[in-house]
């Protein structure tokens, strides 16, 4: 049976307080419902919300993993403003590395990103590594590769499921990553068309993860594909 991996990327949204409200809402939606077997769901939140989210997820026992959206390329030490993998690992199990917004705004290079992957793995974090195409180098040790075409991110213009399936298939063939997922304008309306594809192991929704009800609905409809 196919398993599915879905990670919500909150980007630079939500205070710690708002994150807790999101968990309460999600918890209310979830009450009494059966979570799809074979579905791994993760929320990738800002650093500032990780500690309280970790507490809230433990208290509510929700079946959601927790991730950061970046990690330092350095260890603990004299790196002002950086958050090390060891610090992330105190609260989260996952980390997104190489998101196109960071490649663009922070000018992150492939070399720096490979260094970040090394630090994340040394701290036992699972890595979701974003690439804009099948040609971009994927460092060893990555757990999930997310194919995210830049033009589809936050535009409401998702890639076609056929094309995304083709690119994810190429990435599967050229890397050792256990899972390859698609991201870019995924919604609760179009998620099934992506996760039904043979080479797409899941999705990375940004905007559609911000509202707890929408994200819950997205998980449930996607889960029907594997149930
Ligand atoms: P989007 O973002 O779903 O809002 O397009 C996806 C992402 O950037 O990971």
């Amino acid at each position: 049976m196919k398993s599915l991996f879905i990670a919500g990327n909150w980007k630079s949204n939500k205070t710690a307080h708002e994150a807790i409200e999101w968990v309460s809402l999600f918890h209310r939606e979830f009450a009494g419902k059966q979570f799809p077997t074979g579905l791994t769901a993760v929320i990738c939140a800002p650093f500032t919300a990780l500690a309280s989210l970790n507490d809230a997820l433990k208290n509510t026992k929700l079946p959601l993993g927790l991730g950061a959206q970046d990690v330092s390329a350095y260890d603990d030490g004299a790196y002002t403003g950086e958050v090390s993998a060891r610090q992330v690992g105190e609260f989260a199990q996952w980390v997104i590395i190489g998101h196109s917004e960071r490649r663009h705004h922070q000018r992150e290079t492939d070399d720096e990103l490979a260094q970040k992957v090394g630090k994340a793995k040394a701290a036992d974090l699972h890595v979701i590594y974003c690439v804009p195409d099948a040609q971009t180098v994927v460092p060893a040790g990555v757990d999930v590769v997310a194919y995210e075409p830049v033009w589809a991110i936050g535009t409401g213009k998702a890639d076609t499921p056929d094309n995304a399936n083709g690119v994810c298939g190429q990435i599967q063939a050229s890397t050792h990553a256990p899972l390859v997922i698609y991201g870019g304008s995924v919604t609760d309306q179009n998620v099934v068309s992506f996760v039904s594809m043979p080479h797409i192991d899941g999705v990375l929704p940004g905007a559609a993860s911000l509202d707890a009800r929408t994200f819950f609905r997205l998980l449930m409809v996607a889960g029907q594909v594997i149930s």
Side-chain angles (χ1 to χ4, degrees):
M1 193 182 61
K2 184 172 172 168
S3 61
L4 275 187
F5 180 87
I6 299 183
N9 176 12
W10 283 358
K11 310 193 179 187
S12 201
N13 291 293
K14 295 193 192 298
T15 61
H17 182 78
E18 288 160 355
I20 300 308
E21 286 177 348
W22 186 100
V23 171
S24 304
L25 263 177
F26 190 96
H27 191 236
R28 221 173 297 159
E29 291 296 307
F30 181 61
K33 306 208 178 67
Q34 179 77 33
F35 201 70
T37 315
L39 170 63
T40 301
V42 176
I43 280 299
C44 296
F47 291 131
T48 48
L50 290 182
S52 23
L53 270 175
N54 183 38
D55 285 344
L57 292 176
K58 276 192 184 139
N59 292 339
T60 51
K61 297 191 169 51
L62 285 174
L64 294 175
L66 187 56
Q69 302 164 11
D70 180 38
V71 71
S72 177
Y74 305 98
D75 291 324
D76 293 5
Y79 304 102
T80 302
E82 290 290 291
V83 179
S84 73
R86 200 177 73 91
Q87 291 170 315
V88 170
E90 186 179 8
F91 304 117
Q93 311 83 47
W94 290 88
V95 62
I96 297 175
I97 295 178
H99 192 281
S100 67
E101 286 155 11
R102 295 199 61 84
R103 289 178 190 263
H104 177 67
H105 296 296
Q106 276 72 34
R107 308 212 185 293
E108 293 188 336
T109 63
D110 288 342
D111 284 350
E112 187 183 1
L113 294 173
Q115 208 170 316
K116 290 185 177 205
V117 171
K119 296 299 178 196
K121 294 313 294 178
D124 286 333
L125 292 171
H126 302 300
V127 174
I128 304 165
Y129 194 80
C130 300
V131 295
D133 51 45
Q135 284 70 48
T136 302
V137 178
V138 175
V142 162
D143 300 275
V144 179
V145 178
Y147 159 55
E148 295 210 309
V150 175
W151 49 264
I153 296 177
T155 58
K157 295 193 180 86
D159 200 347
T160 62
D162 267 339
N163 192 62
N165 186 54
V167 178
C168 288
Q170 285 178 49
I171 295 171
Q172 267 166 3
S174 61
T175 70
H176 294 291
L179 297 172
V180 182
I181 65 175
Y182 166 74
S185 298
V186 173
T187 65
D188 54 331
Q189 305 295 312
N190 66 16
V191 65
V192 168
S193 65
F194 290 105
V195 297
S196 314
M197 288 288 163
H199 297 302
I200 301 181
D201 300 313
V203 288
L204 182 56
S209 68
L210 290 175
D211 178 75
R213 285 191 202 90
T214 307
F215 190 61
F216 181 76
R217 204 164 45 238
L218 187 152
L219 295 180
M220 294 308 269
V221 294
Q224 281 169 14
V225 172
I226 52 166
S227 63

